[in-house]
Amino acid sequence: MIIAIDGPSGAGKSTIGKILAKKLGLTYLDTGAMYRAVGLAVLRANIDPADTKTIINLAKNLSIEFKDLGDELRIFLDGEDVSEQIRDESVSKMASIVSTIPEVRRILVELQRQIGMESRNGCVLDGRDIGTVVFPDADFKFFLTAKPEARARRRYEENLKKGAQTSYEETLAEIQDRDLRDTSRLDSPLQIPENAFVIDTSEMDLEEVLSQLLDIISQRRKAAN
Ligand code: DC
């Protein structure tokens, strides 16, 4: 079974995706982490973000792997665990830039399809193009969204807990900046997949979102039997 969860950043996709996968006994794949890993590699190699050719060459030669360490899925870049480093704000920005390059997308989409198909019981994938490009025939497609202000508020509170100094206004501006880049890029822009269930999480808590998704899945499965 393949479950696609798409939507803008900060809509709660990865939190929901992880819990959903665990409840249903499926593999969870955070595809954004893969774009982030490429972004981190570009930053480390000091490549000019405008130098697309060098970025593509680098991406072709990177090893990106996920390892299940106990309760957590960690991401490894060329053998190094970079799960924490990829969450840096500078990496978020670079990930969004490299994700506009079609060749980079092709490399990562292929890897995502491979991981999805090889998952023993199935896979929950979260990203921006899962239901439109990676798995257009997914068994379930969800589009989780929320108002930019609600997403910025959540991100701001998360950052505060981590001790980051970014203000709410800066966080909102970053989210709007990323939304614009993710929705306006030519290759696989963020859009609502055909036949997707759209859920606006602005006024919902985690439990409510999760129970809505689980209800949809169980109703559909009952109807199919
Ligand atoms: O979900 P995230 O914030 O970790 O994603 C990081 C960046 O990668 C984001 O700017 C959009 C991009 N991305 C993408 O283009 N396609 C995906 N399937 C996942 C993420």
Side-chain angles (χ1 to χ4, degrees):
M1 174 160 70
I2 296 286
I3 300 181
I5 306 181
D6 289 302
S9 50
K13 301 185 301 293
S14 63
T15 312
I16 292 290
K18 261 182 229 162
I19 304 175
L20 191 66
K22 202 164 189 189
K23 276 199 182 285
L24 300 173
L26 310 176
T27 301
Y28 165 69
L29 183 62
D30 173 0
T31 65
M34 300 166 87
Y35 289 92
R36 287 172 179 271
V38 177
L40 177 64
V42 169
L43 283 171
R44 284 179 169 179
N46 238 326
I47 303 172
D48 177 351
D51 186 355
T52 309
K53 218 171 140 197
T54 310
I55 295 179
I56 296 167
N57 264 330
L58 177 86
K60 275 185 187 156
N61 294 301
L62 290 178
S63 145
I64 298 174
E65 296 167 290
F66 288 89
K67 287 185 193 161
D68 199 347
L69 297 187
D71 217 19
E72 231 191 322
L73 206 61
R74 314 278 301 179
I75 183 161
F76 289 74
L77 173 63
D78 289 334
E80 179 194 345
D81 185 345
V82 292
S83 311
E84 264 84 46
Q85 287 92 318
I86 59 160
R87 298 295 154 197
D88 203 84
E89 198 46 54
S90 58
V91 178
S92 302
K93 190 158 180 218
M94 190 56 85
S96 170
I97 293 171
V98 302
S99 73
T100 62
I101 305 173
E103 288 83 352
V104 171
R105 302 200 67 83
R106 221 173 300 140
I107 295 165
L108 297 186
V109 166
E110 198 180 312
L111 199 55
Q112 290 154 16
R113 286 189 180 135
Q114 197 183 325
I115 297 172
M117 313 263 259
E118 286 171 2
S119 311
R120 209 172 332 127
N121 300 319
C123 193
V124 176
L125 297 95
D126 94 59
R128 306 291 190 288
D129 60 342
I130 309 301
T132 50
V133 176
V134 185
F135 284 110
D137 297 325
D139 300 274
F140 293 95
K141 298 184 196 177
F142 295 104
F143 191 86
L144 293 192
T145 186
K147 293 187 189 78
E149 292 75 13
R151 290 185 280 128
R153 173 67 51 198
R154 288 179 197 154
R155 187 60 40 96
Y156 170 67
E157 282 164 8
E158 271 169 29
N159 286 346
L160 264 190
K161 276 190 213 148
K162 285 191 228 155
Q165 300 292 320
T166 331
S167 69
Y168 167 76
E169 286 72 23
E170 282 168 320
T171 311
L172 178 60
E174 273 157 15
I175 285 213
Q176 287 168 330
D177 193 37
R178 268 216 279 163
D179 280 358
L180 182 67
R181 216 176 355 243
D182 291 346
T183 52
S184 63
R185 67 172 175 236
L186 292 177
D187 188 350
S188 322
L190 172 66
Q191 55 189 18
I192 300 175
E194 219 178 297
N195 304 323
F197 295 96
V198 181
I199 300 173
D200 186 329
T201 70
S202 304
E203 312 290 334
M204 291 165 88
D205 65 22
L206 195 69
E207 294 302 317
E208 289 171 301
V209 182
L210 193 63
S211 82
Q212 199 162 333
L213 262 63
L214 286 167
D215 278 353
I216 291 171
I217 294 171
S218 75
Q219 275 171 23
R220 249 278 199 97
R221 277 170 149 183
K222 263 188 224 147
N225 287 329

